Amino acid sequence: MDLFDLAGSEAIESIPFPTSEDGLLPYIQERRPVLLNGIREALPFTREWDYDYFKHHLQSIRVQRKSEDGIFHYLGFERIPMDDFDQMMETTHDGYALEPLKGRGVSDDLPPEIDVSLPPFVPEEGFRVSNLYVGPGKNTSLLHYDETHSLLMMLEGRKRFILFSPEQSDCMYAYSPFSLKAIRENRVVDSKVNCAAPDLESFPKLGQARGLAGWLEEGQALFIPAGTWHYIQAEGRNVSVNYFWMQNSLTHWLHQPLLNFWIKRRAIDVLDTLRKVKHKLSAA
């Protein structure tokens, strides 16, 4: 079996891309995933965005290599010339690109014509980052959650997804927020489950989970609420852009899995303080 065998019978809702500030509010408040149709019409700056567009406009791009398990873990990025990445896309397929386009981590080399606007329902004060993702095909994510809301827009290719509600966190087998190794490796938001071959003997509660599965097609966007567990698998060359933004209520932070994330952040703060104290004592 694979993780998609845990999909329930419910189909994900699909609506037109909201054009008002409150257009996504019911889904945000209820933490309910939804597919949005018509991104190129709603966000005209995306109309020409595909692989060829970025290949000709970017001089370089941030790339990660596959780990030994064949998964891209969003760790260990390096910046390489776009021509080298294009060669990789055509030959070895051993690379997955993540390039910030707006917000945190944007490169000084990003051309000014690549201009990202926020959808009307993404608040400026809560916005974190918008990323470009480019994959050669068959690239997969880990089963994980984000502490922010996410909107994943498909610009070329398609991706298959399965989502599990925050209420099913006990079935997802997350890394402990008290594990120093998990904190150092930034694995607290990840599941220990091998999505390609889930081991129900080692993770028996996983068999009780029921996911919401579907396909994200070109021209669509997938809204993934904060704390929602998700696993995504690409089919063929794929280009997508997402938005991350914070719009959580206090109630959400008091429940899993966001409570674990809050604990993790406090643990990181404590570790950073201890490192500073140790450095000062060593220098004294």
Side-chain angles (χ1 to χ4, degrees), residues 24-55:
L24 201 62
L25 194 57
Y27 301 91
I28 291 173
Q29 291 176 336
E30 298 172 18
R31 290 204 288 184
R32 181 157 40 111
V34 65
L35 282 171
L36 311 180
N37 299 310
I39 60 172
R40 296 195 189 276
E41 293 76 19
L43 302 175
F45 64 87
T46 66
R47 286 177 181 169
E48 297 182 359
W49 284 9
D50 58 14
Y51 179 66
D52 286 337
Y53 176 89
F54 289 108
K55 181 171 72 173

mmCIF file of all heavy atoms in Angstrom, residues 24-55:
data_model
loop_
_atom_site.group_PDB
_atom_site.id
_atom_site.type_symbol
_atom_site.label_atom_id
_atom_site.label_comp_id
_atom_site.label_asym_id
_atom_site.label_seq_id
_atom_site.Cartn_x
_atom_site.Cartn_y
_atom_site.Cartn_z
ATOM 1 N N LEU A 24 -12.023 33.877 1.254
ATOM 2 C CA LEU A 24 -11.565 32.572 1.734
ATOM 3 C C LEU A 24 -11.813 32.396 3.228
ATOM 4 O O LEU A 24 -11.485 31.353 3.796
ATOM 5 C CB LEU A 24 -10.062 32.420 1.423
ATOM 6 C CG LEU A 24 -9.483 31.000 1.387
ATOM 7 C CD1 LEU A 24 -10.141 30.167 0.306
ATOM 8 C CD2 LEU A 24 -7.967 31.039 1.192
ATOM 9 N N LEU A 25 -12.417 33.398 3.848
ATOM 10 C CA LEU A 25 -12.535 33.427 5.308
ATOM 11 C C LEU A 25 -13.244 32.203 5.899
ATOM 12 O O LEU A 25 -12.773 31.656 6.909
ATOM 13 C CB LEU A 25 -13.238 34.706 5.754
ATOM 14 C CG LEU A 25 -13.138 35.049 7.245
ATOM 15 C CD1 LEU A 25 -11.674 35.160 7.672
ATOM 16 C CD2 LEU A 25 -13.876 36.351 7.542
ATOM 17 N N PRO A 26 -14.344 31.713 5.322
ATOM 18 C CA PRO A 26 -14.989 30.526 5.919
ATOM 19 C C PRO A 26 -14.065 29.312 5.960
ATOM 20 O O PRO A 26 -14.085 28.546 6.930
ATOM 21 C CB PRO A 26 -16.187 30.273 4.991
ATOM 22 C CG PRO A 26 -16.457 31.586 4.343
ATOM 23 C CD PRO A 26 -15.120 32.227 4.184
ATOM 24 N N TYR A 27 -13.230 29.142 4.946
ATOM 25 C CA TYR A 27 -12.314 28.001 4.888
ATOM 26 C C TYR A 27 -11.150 28.184 5.866
ATOM 27 O O TYR A 27 -10.669 27.217 6.462
ATOM 28 C CB TYR A 27 -11.805 27.814 3.458
ATOM 29 C CG TYR A 27 -12.924 27.579 2.476
ATOM 30 C CD1 TYR A 27 -13.530 28.644 1.815
ATOM 31 C CD2 TYR A 27 -13.404 26.299 2.242
ATOM 32 C CE1 TYR A 27 -14.576 28.437 0.933
ATOM 33 C CE2 TYR A 27 -14.446 26.075 1.355
ATOM 34 C CZ TYR A 27 -15.029 27.151 0.712
ATOM 35 O OH TYR A 27 -16.077 26.931 -0.160
ATOM 36 N N ILE A 28 -10.721 29.435 6.040
ATOM 37 C CA ILE A 28 -9.659 29.731 7.002
ATOM 38 C C ILE A 28 -10.161 29.480 8.429
ATOM 39 O O ILE A 28 -9.488 28.840 9.239
ATOM 40 C CB ILE A 28 -9.186 31.186 6.848
ATOM 41 C CG1 ILE A 28 -8.442 31.365 5.510
ATOM 42 C CG2 ILE A 28 -8.287 31.602 8.013
ATOM 43 C CD1 ILE A 28 -8.084 32.804 5.187
ATOM 44 N N GLN A 29 -11.353 29.973 8.739
ATOM 45 C CA GLN A 29 -11.896 29.835 10.090
ATOM 46 C C GLN A 29 -12.174 28.379 10.447
ATOM 47 O O GLN A 29 -11.960 27.965 11.588
ATOM 48 C CB GLN A 29 -13.171 30.667 10.220
ATOM 49 C CG GLN A 29 -12.931 32.165 10.180
ATOM 50 C CD GLN A 29 -14.206 32.971 10.211
ATOM 51 O OE1 GLN A 29 -15.276 32.478 9.821
ATOM 52 N NE2 GLN A 29 -14.125 34.209 10.666
ATOM 53 N N GLU A 30 -12.630 27.601 9.462
ATOM 54 C CA GLU A 30 -12.962 26.193 9.716
ATOM 55 C C GLU A 30 -11.787 25.266 9.427
ATOM 56 O O GLU A 30 -11.905 24.056 9.590
ATOM 57 C CB GLU A 30 -14.159 25.789 8.858
ATOM 58 C CG GLU A 30 -15.424 26.555 9.163
ATOM 59 C CD GLU A 30 -16.539 26.256 8.169
ATOM 60 O OE1 GLU A 30 -16.444 25.220 7.470
ATOM 61 O OE2 GLU A 30 -17.491 27.053 8.090
ATOM 62 N N ARG A 31 -10.661 25.832 8.996
ATOM 63 C CA ARG A 31 -9.491 25.055 8.599
ATOM 64 C C ARG A 31 -9.908 23.943 7.619
ATOM 65 O O ARG A 31 -9.593 22.770 7.783
ATOM 66 C CB ARG A 31 -8.761 24.492 9.813
ATOM 67 C CG ARG A 31 -8.057 25.565 10.618
ATOM 68 C CD ARG A 31 -6.911 25.034 11.420
ATOM 69 N NE ARG A 31 -7.349 24.239 12.550
ATOM 70 C CZ ARG A 31 -6.510 23.728 13.457
ATOM 71 N NH1 ARG A 31 -5.215 23.916 13.344
ATOM 72 N NH2 ARG A 31 -6.960 23.027 14.472
ATOM 73 N N ARG A 32 -10.576 24.370 6.553
ATOM 74 C CA ARG A 32 -11.125 23.437 5.565
ATOM 75 C C ARG A 32 -10.394 23.604 4.232
ATOM 76 O O ARG A 32 -10.408 24.686 3.643
ATOM 77 C CB ARG A 32 -12.621 23.710 5.390
ATOM 78 C CG ARG A 32 -13.326 22.793 4.418
ATOM 79 C CD ARG A 32 -14.834 22.743 4.702
ATOM 80 N NE ARG A 32 -15.417 24.016 5.048
ATOM 81 C CZ ARG A 32 -16.275 24.698 4.259
ATOM 82 N NH1 ARG A 32 -16.609 24.219 3.084
ATOM 83 N NH2 ARG A 32 -16.782 25.834 4.676
ATOM 84 N N PRO A 33 -9.713 22.575 3.742
ATOM 85 C CA PRO A 33 -9.010 22.675 2.455
ATOM 86 C C PRO A 33 -10.000 22.886 1.317
ATOM 87 O O PRO A 33 -11.158 22.444 1.377
ATOM 88 C CB PRO A 33 -8.309 21.324 2.324
ATOM 89 C CG PRO A 33 -8.310 20.733 3.699
ATOM 90 C CD PRO A 33 -9.543 21.257 4.367
ATOM 91 N N VAL A 34 -9.518 23.531 0.255
ATOM 92 C CA VAL A 34 -10.378 23.777 -0.904
ATOM 93 C C VAL A 34 -9.505 24.018 -2.126
ATOM 94 O O VAL A 34 -8.384 24.526 -2.022
ATOM 95 C CB VAL A 34 -11.320 24.978 -0.643
ATOM 96 C CG1 VAL A 34 -10.528 26.277 -0.480
ATOM 97 C CG2 VAL A 34 -12.366 25.114 -1.732
ATOM 98 N N LEU A 35 -10.019 23.618 -3.292
ATOM 99 C CA LEU A 35 -9.364 23.915 -4.566
ATOM 100 C C LEU A 35 -9.943 25.198 -5.132
ATOM 101 O O LEU A 35 -11.167 25.407 -5.114
ATOM 102 C CB LEU A 35 -9.591 22.776 -5.564
ATOM 103 C CG LEU A 35 -8.741 21.513 -5.404
ATOM 104 C CD1 LEU A 35 -9.240 20.420 -6.330
ATOM 105 C CD2 LEU A 35 -7.267 21.812 -5.681
ATOM 106 N N LEU A 36 -9.063 26.067 -5.631
ATOM 107 C CA LEU A 36 -9.483 27.333 -6.226
ATOM 108 C C LEU A 36 -9.195 27.285 -7.730
ATOM 109 O O LEU A 36 -8.075 26.974 -8.145
ATOM 110 C CB LEU A 36 -8.725 28.499 -5.592
ATOM 111 C CG LEU A 36 -8.686 28.540 -4.055
ATOM 112 C CD1 LEU A 36 -7.900 29.751 -3.584
ATOM 113 C CD2 LEU A 36 -10.084 28.540 -3.475
ATOM 114 N N ASN A 37 -10.184 27.612 -8.531
ATOM 115 C CA ASN A 37 -10.046 27.572 -9.987
ATOM 116 C C ASN A 37 -9.845 28.967 -10.563
ATOM 117 O O ASN A 37 -10.442 29.934 -10.090
ATOM 118 C CB ASN A 37 -11.292 26.946 -10.613
ATOM 119 C CG ASN A 37 -11.514 25.526 -10.166
ATOM 120 O OD1 ASN A 37 -10.606 24.703 -10.207
ATOM 121 N ND2 ASN A 37 -12.726 25.214 -9.711
ATOM 122 N N GLY A 38 -9.015 29.050 -11.610
ATOM 123 C CA GLY A 38 -8.866 30.308 -12.343
ATOM 124 C C GLY A 38 -7.800 31.233 -11.803
ATOM 125 O O GLY A 38 -8.008 32.447 -11.741
ATOM 126 N N ILE A 39 -6.620 30.692 -11.448
ATOM 127 C CA ILE A 39 -5.584 31.564 -10.871
ATOM 128 C C ILE A 39 -5.033 32.543 -11.905
ATOM 129 O O ILE A 39 -4.703 33.681 -11.570
ATOM 130 C CB ILE A 39 -4.431 30.752 -10.244
ATOM 131 C CG1 ILE A 39 -3.739 29.865 -11.281
ATOM 132 C CG2 ILE A 39 -4.904 29.947 -9.065
ATOM 133 C CD1 ILE A 39 -2.486 29.188 -10.756
ATOM 134 N N ARG A 40 -4.930 32.132 -13.159
ATOM 135 C CA ARG A 40 -4.330 33.029 -14.168
ATOM 136 C C ARG A 40 -5.247 34.208 -14.475
ATOM 137 O O ARG A 40 -4.767 35.298 -14.799
ATOM 138 C CB ARG A 40 -4.004 32.241 -15.430
ATOM 139 C CG ARG A 40 -2.944 31.161 -15.212
ATOM 140 C CD ARG A 40 -2.382 30.658 -16.521
ATOM 141 N NE ARG A 40 -1.518 29.493 -16.361
ATOM 142 C CZ ARG A 40 -0.226 29.533 -16.048
ATOM 143 N NH1 ARG A 40 0.349 30.696 -15.827
ATOM 144 N NH2 ARG A 40 0.484 28.425 -15.949
ATOM 145 N N GLU A 41 -6.540 34.005 -14.369
ATOM 146 C CA GLU A 41 -7.486 35.103 -14.564
ATOM 147 C C GLU A 41 -7.505 36.019 -13.334
ATOM 148 O O GLU A 41 -7.552 37.245 -13.458
ATOM 149 C CB GLU A 41 -8.895 34.563 -14.833
ATOM 150 C CG GLU A 41 -9.057 33.813 -16.145
ATOM 151 C CD GLU A 41 -8.474 32.417 -16.118
ATOM 152 O OE1 GLU A 41 -8.258 31.876 -15.002
ATOM 153 O OE2 GLU A 41 -8.221 31.859 -17.201
ATOM 154 N N ALA A 42 -7.447 35.434 -12.148
ATOM 155 C CA ALA A 42 -7.508 36.216 -10.913
ATOM 156 C C ALA A 42 -6.196 36.932 -10.625
ATOM 157 O O ALA A 42 -6.193 38.030 -10.044
ATOM 158 C CB ALA A 42 -7.873 35.310 -9.738
ATOM 159 N N LEU A 43 -5.066 36.318 -11.015
ATOM 160 C CA LEU A 43 -3.743 36.889 -10.773
ATOM 161 C C LEU A 43 -3.019 36.984 -12.123
ATOM 162 O O LEU A 43 -2.247 36.092 -12.494
ATOM 163 C CB LEU A 43 -2.956 36.004 -9.800
ATOM 164 C CG LEU A 43 -3.610 35.765 -8.425
ATOM 165 C CD1 LEU A 43 -2.791 34.766 -7.616
ATOM 166 C CD2 LEU A 43 -3.779 37.066 -7.659
ATOM 167 N N PRO A 44 -3.257 38.061 -12.880
ATOM 168 C CA PRO A 44 -2.740 38.166 -14.251
ATOM 169 C C PRO A 44 -1.224 38.034 -14.375
ATOM 170 O O PRO A 44 -0.729 37.617 -15.426
ATOM 171 C CB PRO A 44 -3.210 39.564 -14.691
ATOM 172 C CG PRO A 44 -4.396 39.855 -13.835
ATOM 173 C CD PRO A 44 -4.113 39.201 -12.516
ATOM 174 N N PHE A 45 -0.471 38.354 -13.323
ATOM 175 C CA PHE A 45 0.988 38.265 -13.421
ATOM 176 C C PHE A 45 1.462 36.824 -13.609
ATOM 177 O O PHE A 45 2.618 36.582 -13.983
ATOM 178 C CB PHE A 45 1.660 38.895 -12.194
ATOM 179 C CG PHE A 45 1.374 38.207 -10.892
ATOM 180 C CD1 PHE A 45 2.150 37.141 -10.459
ATOM 181 C CD2 PHE A 45 0.330 38.627 -10.082
ATOM 182 C CE1 PHE A 45 1.904 36.509 -9.253
ATOM 183 C CE2 PHE A 45 0.058 38.000 -8.877
ATOM 184 C CZ PHE A 45 0.851 36.935 -8.459
ATOM 185 N N THR A 46 0.598 35.849 -13.369
ATOM 186 C CA THR A 46 0.981 34.444 -13.523
ATOM 187 C C THR A 46 0.732 33.906 -14.929
ATOM 188 O O THR A 46 1.083 32.760 -15.221
ATOM 189 C CB THR A 46 0.208 33.549 -12.532
ATOM 190 O OG1 THR A 46 -1.194 33.556 -12.872
ATOM 191 C CG2 THR A 46 0.380 34.033 -11.105
ATOM 192 N N ARG A 47 0.144 34.684 -15.810
ATOM 193 C CA ARG A 47 -0.314 34.160 -17.099
ATOM 194 C C ARG A 47 0.805 33.596 -17.954
ATOM 195 O O ARG A 47 0.611 32.626 -18.685
ATOM 196 C CB ARG A 47 -1.085 35.247 -17.858
ATOM 197 C CG ARG A 47 -2.465 35.504 -17.272
ATOM 198 C CD ARG A 47 -3.198 36.629 -17.968
ATOM 199 N NE ARG A 47 -4.504 36.855 -17.352
ATOM 200 C CZ ARG A 47 -5.278 37.903 -17.615
ATOM 201 N NH1 ARG A 47 -4.875 38.816 -18.498
ATOM 202 N NH2 ARG A 47 -6.449 38.033 -17.017
ATOM 203 N N GLU A 48 1.984 34.188 -17.885
ATOM 204 C CA GLU A 48 3.104 33.700 -18.704
ATOM 205 C C GLU A 48 4.035 32.779 -17.924
ATOM 206 O O GLU A 48 5.003 32.271 -18.485
ATOM 207 C CB GLU A 48 3.911 34.887 -19.250
ATOM 208 C CG GLU A 48 3.121 35.784 -20.187
ATOM 209 C CD GLU A 48 3.986 36.919 -20.724
ATOM 210 O OE1 GLU A 48 5.186 36.996 -20.345
ATOM 211 O OE2 GLU A 48 3.465 37.719 -21.509
ATOM 212 N N TRP A 49 3.727 32.554 -16.653
ATOM 213 C CA TRP A 49 4.648 31.809 -15.806
ATOM 214 C C TRP A 49 4.566 30.305 -16.070
ATOM 215 O O TRP A 49 3.558 29.667 -15.789
ATOM 216 C CB TRP A 49 4.360 32.097 -14.335
ATOM 217 C CG TRP A 49 4.865 33.447 -13.891
ATOM 218 C CD1 TRP A 49 5.354 34.432 -14.688
ATOM 219 C CD2 TRP A 49 4.926 33.938 -12.557
ATOM 220 N NE1 TRP A 49 5.708 35.521 -13.931
ATOM 221 C CE2 TRP A 49 5.460 35.246 -12.621
ATOM 222 C CE3 TRP A 49 4.583 33.419 -11.325
ATOM 223 C CZ2 TRP A 49 5.662 36.027 -11.494
ATOM 224 C CZ3 TRP A 49 4.782 34.197 -10.193
ATOM 225 C CH2 TRP A 49 5.314 35.480 -10.278
ATOM 226 N N ASP A 50 5.636 29.781 -16.621
ATOM 227 C CA ASP A 50 5.836 28.344 -16.768
ATOM 228 C C ASP A 50 7.335 28.103 -16.718
ATOM 229 O O ASP A 50 8.117 29.040 -16.437
ATOM 230 C CB ASP A 50 5.212 27.803 -18.057
ATOM 231 C CG ASP A 50 5.744 28.482 -19.322
ATOM 232 O OD1 ASP A 50 6.781 29.191 -19.251
ATOM 233 O OD2 ASP A 50 5.143 28.292 -20.390
ATOM 234 N N TYR A 51 7.777 26.887 -16.994
ATOM 235 C CA TYR A 51 9.198 26.594 -16.870
ATOM 236 C C TYR A 51 10.038 27.430 -17.835
ATOM 237 O O TYR A 51 11.086 27.978 -17.455
ATOM 238 C CB TYR A 51 9.477 25.109 -17.098
ATOM 239 C CG TYR A 51 10.950 24.776 -16.999
ATOM 240 C CD1 TYR A 51 11.618 24.915 -15.782
ATOM 241 C CD2 TYR A 51 11.679 24.374 -18.114
ATOM 242 C CE1 TYR A 51 12.968 24.648 -15.670
ATOM 243 C CE2 TYR A 51 13.038 24.104 -18.010
ATOM 244 C CZ TYR A 51 13.674 24.241 -16.793
ATOM 245 O OH TYR A 51 15.009 23.991 -16.691
ATOM 246 N N ASP A 52 9.593 27.556 -19.078
ATOM 247 C CA ASP A 52 10.370 28.327 -20.058
ATOM 248 C C ASP A 52 10.511 29.783 -19.638
ATOM 249 O O ASP A 52 11.561 30.402 -19.848
ATOM 250 C CB ASP A 52 9.712 28.239 -21.442
ATOM 251 C CG ASP A 52 9.924 26.881 -22.100
ATOM 252 O OD1 ASP A 52 10.892 26.191 -21.723
ATOM 253 O OD2 ASP A 52 9.122 26.517 -22.972
ATOM 254 N N TYR A 53 9.457 30.346 -19.035
ATOM 255 C CA TYR A 53 9.531 31.733 -18.584
ATOM 256 C C TYR A 53 10.636 31.903 -17.545
ATOM 257 O O TYR A 53 11.493 32.796 -17.663
ATOM 258 C CB TYR A 53 8.183 32.161 -18.000
ATOM 259 C CG TYR A 53 8.198 33.559 -17.409
ATOM 260 C CD1 TYR A 53 7.901 34.658 -18.195
ATOM 261 C CD2 TYR A 53 8.525 33.782 -16.064
ATOM 262 C CE1 TYR A 53 7.927 35.943 -17.666
ATOM 263 C CE2 TYR A 53 8.546 35.057 -15.531
ATOM 264 C CZ TYR A 53 8.249 36.133 -16.335
ATOM 265 O OH TYR A 53 8.295 37.403 -15.814
ATOM 266 N N PHE A 54 10.628 31.056 -16.524
ATOM 267 C CA PHE A 54 11.627 31.192 -15.461
ATOM 268 C C PHE A 54 13.026 30.803 -15.954
ATOM 269 O O PHE A 54 14.026 31.381 -15.516
ATOM 270 C CB PHE A 54 11.225 30.357 -14.250
ATOM 271 C CG PHE A 54 10.046 30.910 -13.517
ATOM 272 C CD1 PHE A 54 8.806 30.285 -13.589
ATOM 273 C CD2 PHE A 54 10.161 32.072 -12.776
ATOM 274 C CE1 PHE A 54 7.713 30.802 -12.923
ATOM 275 C CE2 PHE A 54 9.072 32.605 -12.100
ATOM 276 C CZ PHE A 54 7.836 31.971 -12.176
ATOM 277 N N LYS A 55 13.098 29.877 -16.878
ATOM 278 C CA LYS A 55 14.395 29.482 -17.430
ATOM 279 C C LYS A 55 15.068 30.662 -18.124
ATOM 280 O O LYS A 55 16.298 30.820 -18.064
ATOM 281 C CB LYS A 55 14.215 28.325 -18.418
ATOM 282 C CG LYS A 55 15.518 27.825 -19.017
ATOM 283 C CD LYS A 55 15.315 26.550 -19.821
ATOM 284 C CE LYS A 55 14.586 26.820 -21.109
ATOM 285 N NZ LYS A 55 14.539 25.615 -21.976
#
